[in-house]
Amino acid sequence: MCGIFGIITNQDTISVGNIVFEGIKRLEYRGYDSCGIVSLSNSKLYLKKDSGKIDEIQRKINLAEIPNNSKLALAHTRWATHGAPTKINSHPHLDCHNKIAVVHNGIIENFLELRKELTQNGHIFRSETDTEVIPHLIESQMKKGLNFKDSVIESLKLLKGAYGLAVCQVDNPNSIIVARKESPLVIGIDEGKTTYCASDIPAFLPLTKKCYIMDDDELAILKAGEVEFINLLTNEKVKKELRTIEWSIDAAEKGGYEHFMLKEIYEEPTAIRRTLKISKEQLKIFANILWSAENIYITAAGTSFYASLAGKFILTKFLGKYIQAIECSEFQTQLTNSLKKDSVIIAVSQSGETIDTVEAIRWARSYKDVKILTITNVVGSTLTRYSDNVIVTQAGPEIGVAATKTYSTQVLTLALVALEIAKLRKVELESDIVKYERALRSTPQIIENFLKNNIDLIKGIVDTLDKSAQFFFLARGISIATAKEGGLKLKEVACRFIEGYSAAHAKHGPISLVRAGFPIIFIAPPDETYQRLIGNVMEFKARGGKIISLVVESDNVIAELSDLTIKIPQPGDKYHNIFSPITFIPALQLLAYYASLLHGLDPDKPLNLSKTVTVH
Ligand code: AGP
């Protein structure tokens, strides 16, 4: 995944260099191994790019400094796929004569054959990237006499793969051409004055709240303060809805916190409260479809998959049907011969752009007559286009690469659907459903209370575990999802090796690693698995393991057995226990966050990771 940003304006009073620099910085979460800016002025392209993080490059070559009279600029922040993260491979990429510049997010699958053909026709390539074929293709179309727009259109016809791209050309200083296929692209507009393009809305949010969301196979011609859309399949103009973004830029920026990850953990209560307001109608649609379904699957990647595991547990309780959870990358492989028509598939994805999730759903749709229910945090994302029904979680923009508030809102959404099913099926007493609802509605307050009183405790635990490089996160029942997700956070942002596992299963192998002082984090709400979990705690304690437990306030059994204890301020009844994946997770997210700081890492930019994985 990469980030692209572009601006075209007719205003003399604004500094294009600063705007494009700030814009691309707000997209740094999408990739941060190299960055570049191209500006156009006096019929010439001015290119600045290098490898490294944006601030480092800024210090080195002052990216933001571009010719004063520039009214057009494009920028890119890269997460390498084809070619190492070097200066030469960083974007923008130019044609042979430095007249065309392209920034691109996605992968051109047939770039090798295109490159070979272009090379045979005399084009000189400078980088190892797939992207570089694009400016050369446009160059060769223009050489044939086509105008800028038609050259881009004809070039796009030759590409196989995914792209969100922006192009400028020196003889067309009044326009930027952008196009989208399977990689996100949004257009911001200050009518009559300035137009922006970006991979994500926060990039231009401080500048305008008016935007268009591009669809696949669309091209747009951006002029200062105006935009025209063309459907690439029909070649016809498209009239698109101008949307007003309700988020404030504060929601998209750090707002006083040292890192986005910390800010987003603190935003969990608000995100949950907003998501609790999802319309009953939408929940009922999901509930009815699931109630009448014969075969139900749930699919996702990473954190969204762990949210799905927790959600599946809650859904199954109230639905009384088996739900199969399959990682999206395995979906097609596992179901090629067994996916039945009339199946219902729940797809969960924060971004709605994860390629494996999108592909699983696309495959399922084309293969069988199935229904797709999507839960995502991003309106208009690719996944939503392949879905019969969509619920958008109300987490707000999540910038930290490690998912935090989107996890809790995904579990919450699945829980809300589950409670709607409970009402339909009437298998629970009405008074019980009321208590479950009350417990679910109390989750933001529980998290707020926890955050208020436990930061020093978490920091202290992190200090104590300073030297530990390996951890087990163990649990039973629904809390296995919490163990896996809590462990994933520590792995991602603190670079510790962890195994998130079933506590019972752990004695069938993993326990052999335990030596004196080996840290084991037990997630232990007092649900139906609690008594047996005590046995598991004893097993690991007997082998010298350092026991860290996550329990409810009133716990005094596992807490007593533990070396260190984190107490979540919530009742230990069945109504609250089932929603513990929501209330217990912030403690583990914070543990990971402070461990990351202790090890001198940047929790917002975990090594080798990207916020949205758009490659297989
Ligand atoms: C979460 O911390 C990770 N960055 C990653 O596992 C992520 O959850 C996964 O890539 C799925 O992304 P999605 O929810 O946008 O589909």
Side-chain angles (χ1 to χ4, degrees), residues 389-438:
N389 295 92
V390 177
I391 293 181
V392 179
T393 51
Q394 299 298 311
E398 187 178 69
I399 309 297
V401 169
T404 51
K405 59 179 178 167
T406 54
Y407 173 82
S408 22
T409 52
Q410 287 168 342
V411 180
L412 173 71
T413 305
L414 290 161
L416 285 167
V417 173
L419 288 182
E420 232 26 72
I421 293 170
K423 287 180 208 160
L424 284 174
R425 283 186 71 218
K426 299 190 171 69
V427 284
E428 297 281 336
L429 290 176
E430 239 169 73
S431 58
D432 264 355
I433 296 179
V434 171
K435 286 183 189 159
Y436 280 115
E437 278 192 323
R438 215 174 278 150

Side-chain angles (χ1 to χ4, degrees), residues 301-304 349-351 354 401-403 489 492:
T303 290
S304 296
S349 171
Q350 179 280 128
S351 61
T354 297
V401 169
K489 289 289 91 82
E492 281 183 297

Side-chain angles (χ1 to χ4, degrees), residues 443-556:
T443 54
Q445 190 60 56
I446 293 167
I447 297 174
E448 254 161 19
N449 294 344
F450 176 79
L451 293 174
K452 230 178 264 163
N453 302 315
N454 289 279
I455 301 304
D456 287 342
L457 172 80
I458 300 278
K459 285 182 181 169
I461 293 178
V462 166
D463 284 342
T464 314
L465 299 175
D466 175 24
K467 300 272 176 314
S468 312
Q470 308 175 61
F471 292 77
F472 282 144
F473 280 62
L474 303 183
R476 298 178 81 118
I478 193 169
S479 300
I480 293 175
T482 315
K484 286 186 181 287
E485 173 55 13
L488 177 67
K489 289 289 91 82
L490 193 63
K491 209 181 263 176
E492 281 183 297
V493 304
C495 287
R496 308 286 94 185
F497 179 81
I498 73 97
E499 182 103 83
Y501 224 71
S502 138
H505 211 192
K507 56 179 177 292
H508 297 277
I511 199 167
S512 71
L513 293 177
V514 175
R515 304 282 181 280
F518 190 111
I520 302 128
I521 300 182
F522 279 94
I523 293 92
D527 59 17
E528 64 284 0
T529 68
Y530 187 80
Q531 288 308 323
R532 291 208 160 166
L533 193 73
I534 295 174
N536 300 134
V537 172
M538 297 300 288
E539 288 153 12
F540 281 82
K541 201 175 162 61
R543 283 155 185 87
K546 193 183 195 82
I547 309 297
I548 303 108
S549 62
L550 203 55
V551 295
V552 298
E553 191 101 83
S554 57
D555 190 292
N556 51 22

Side-chain angles (χ1 to χ4, degrees), residues 296-346:
I296 306 172
Y297 300 91
I298 190 160
T299 193
T303 290
S304 296
F305 185 69
Y306 299 144
S308 303
L309 291 184
K312 161 191 143 131
F313 202 98
I314 305 170
L315 276 171
T316 307
K317 173 178 168 54
F318 294 105
L319 181 61
K321 285 181 193 172
Y322 179 67
I323 299 175
Q324 195 177 349
I326 305 185
E327 286 165 26
C328 52
S329 49
E330 292 300 313
F331 198 81
Q332 179 175 348
T333 318
Q334 291 193 22
L335 294 177
T336 294
N337 297 317
S338 62
L339 182 66
K340 299 204 176 61
K341 70 180 173 67
D342 304 331
S343 294
V344 173
I345 303 162
I346 308 171

